Amino acid sequence: MSARRPDPLAQVSDFDIRLLKLFRSVVECGGFSAAESALGIGRSAISQQMSDLEQRLGLRLCQRGRAGFALTEEGREVYQSTQQLLVALESFRTEVNGLHQHLRGELNIGLTDNLVTVQHMRITNALARLKERGPDVHIHIRMTPPSEVEQGVLDGRLHIGVVPQVSALSGLDYQPLYDERSLLYCAVGHPLFYVDDQQLEDSRLDSQEAIAPTFRLPPEVQSHYQALNCTASASDREGMAFLILTGRYIGYLPDHYAQAWVQQGRLRVLKPDSRFYDVSLASVTRKGRRPHLVLESFLEALAEA
């Protein structure tokens, strides 16, 4: 009778956890080279540690070489299990830390792009207060589309997110933060850049090539884009800014985000009295979440800010 193969992870050590965290970073960055800056170590060190993890597990986790980086089937399953393990470890650490009422651990926050120029600065100020209260807290920010922020909060990868409030998803709590106004812009080189608003007819405006967002927006906002001749699209506001600045498209941008280009004379607003819309931004957390001292402290700081 053949001997039973030993369990490769009968005992999970701190070394194993470090290797699994490295593996998660490599997957999320999309390869060894892209993970170098995120991890702060060289590609050869990443490769060696990935080999150590594969040897420890007895599995081939990824293909690497000239064809590029790709997970094997086993690698995809190990990645999903790694996500569950690291979320569980963070929950355990948070609950134990709560017994001592000392702020330690992580805050994983997901943000819609280009909120840093909002004059209210509520998020920035709340992060500053959190760090003042808990110097040992590690803050991790991910800039992703709103739908991915909400999904990340739902599955526990993110503790909190900030998104435009479109329609509430079951399982999530939304708390309004502030409203954001978007205006219609064109750039230097566009035929409308020097046309006076009083001489600019809606029919001419609506015939210009424009940009549509692929992220979710409220129905009353979608009507603003339906009136335009949208021949291009972008997944975020930065992508829309890139296209507007070509001087070939018109499009909507948050006024706080576009302000610097307006001051430089590179963008101008088109008919601001009629071509605008407002969207409410909200913080989003998971309903029925476990006690998390770092998150609760951040929410308190956000309310104070």
Side-chain angles (χ1 to χ4, degrees):
M1 182 177 180
S2 60
R4 181 178 179 272
R5 181 183 177 185
D7 181 357
L9 287 182
Q11 294 181 338
V12 180
S13 66
D14 289 343
F15 178 66
D16 295 317
I17 298 299
R18 288 197 299 271
L19 292 179
L20 290 171
K21 285 183 176 180
L22 176 136
F23 171 58
R24 180 182 65 175
S25 295
V26 169
V27 174
E28 292 178 352
C29 290
F32 291 9
S33 298
E36 286 184 279
S37 58
L39 293 170
I41 58 177
R43 182 174 179 179
S44 60
I46 295 173
S47 179
Q48 180 59 55
Q49 292 183 55
M50 281 292 295
S51 296
D52 291 342
L53 179 60
E54 290 178 328
Q55 185 175 2
R56 183 85 170 100
L57 296 175
L59 297 170
R60 182 71 169 175
L61 300 178
C62 62
Q63 306 291 340
R64 55 263 204 189
R66 293 183 178 179
F69 174 88
L71 286 176
T72 63
E73 187 62 31
E74 293 81 4
R76 283 190 287 269
E77 294 183 15
V78 170
Y79 173 69
Q80 294 298 325
S81 298
T82 298
Q83 293 280 63
Q84 297 170 14
L85 171 63
L86 295 179
V87 168
L89 283 174
E90 176 59 23
S91 296
F92 171 80
R93 181 167 59 178
T94 298
E95 291 176 13
V96 172
N97 288 340
L99 298 175
H100 299 282
Q101 290 297 299
H102 182 71
L103 284 180
R104 296 193 188 94
E106 298 179 345
L107 179 69
N108 298 318
I109 178 171
L111 299 178
T112 302
D113 67 312
N114 304 126
L115 296 184
V116 71
T117 51
V118 175
Q119 292 183 354
H120 301 81
M121 298 290 285
R122 289 187 64 181
I123 299 169
T124 302
N125 293 339
L127 290 172
R129 295 185 186 192
L130 175 66
K131 194 62 178 174
E132 181 180 356
R133 296 173 185 176
D136 295 330
V137 171
H138 295 274
I139 299 171
H140 304 285
I141 292 180
R142 294 187 183 181
M143 308 299 295
T144 57
S147 59
E148 294 183 20
V149 172
E150 290 170 315
Q151 185 57 49
V153 174
L154 276 172
D155 63 27
R157 289 181 292 113
L158 297 173
H159 298 123
I160 185 171
V162 177
V163 296
Q165 191 165 356
V166 181
S167 57
L169 300 182
S170 61
L172 295 178
D173 281 323
Y174 296 80
Q175 293 296 325
L177 292 176
Y178 40 68
D179 289 336
E180 178 184 73
R181 172 156 293 191
S182 290
L183 301 170
L184 188 61
Y185 294 91
C186 72
V188 171
H190 193 277
L192 300 184
F193 191 81
Y194 295 107
V195 178
D196 187 272
D197 278 341
Q198 294 181 349
Q199 300 177 356
L200 184 54
E201 297 180 356
D202 286 337
S203 58
R204 184 180 180 188
L205 189 62
D206 295 337
S207 66
Q208 304 297 314
E209 290 195 82
I211 310 152
T214 58
F215 47 86
R216 291 194 308 153
L217 288 170
E220 62 271 19
V221 172
Q222 294 176 11
S223 62
H224 287 270
Y225 290 95
Q226 291 168 356
L228 299 176
N229 176 30
C230 293
T231 60
S233 65
S235 63
D236 50 49
R237 282 97 67 91
E238 185 172 0
M240 299 181 76
F242 267 113
L243 289 171
I244 295 170
L245 287 166
T246 65
R248 297 295 181 268
Y249 300 91
I250 62 174
Y252 285 95
L253 291 174
D255 56 1
H256 60 85
Y257 179 48
Q259 183 178 6
W261 289 306
V262 172
Q263 292 174 344
Q264 295 168 11
R266 298 181 62 190
L267 289 182
R268 66 155 288 192
V269 183
L270 298 169
K271 306 193 75 168
D273 293 336
S274 58
R275 297 300 180 112
F276 69 88
Y277 63 82
D278 296 323
V279 172
S280 295
L281 292 165
S283 65
V284 55
T285 54
R286 185 172 58 181
K287 291 181 179 179
R289 61 185 182 274
R290 292 183 178 183
H292 191 293
L293 187 59
V294 173
L295 174 58
E296 301 309 321
S297 296
F298 177 70
L299 290 173
E300 290 176 8
L302 200 56
E304 293 170 0

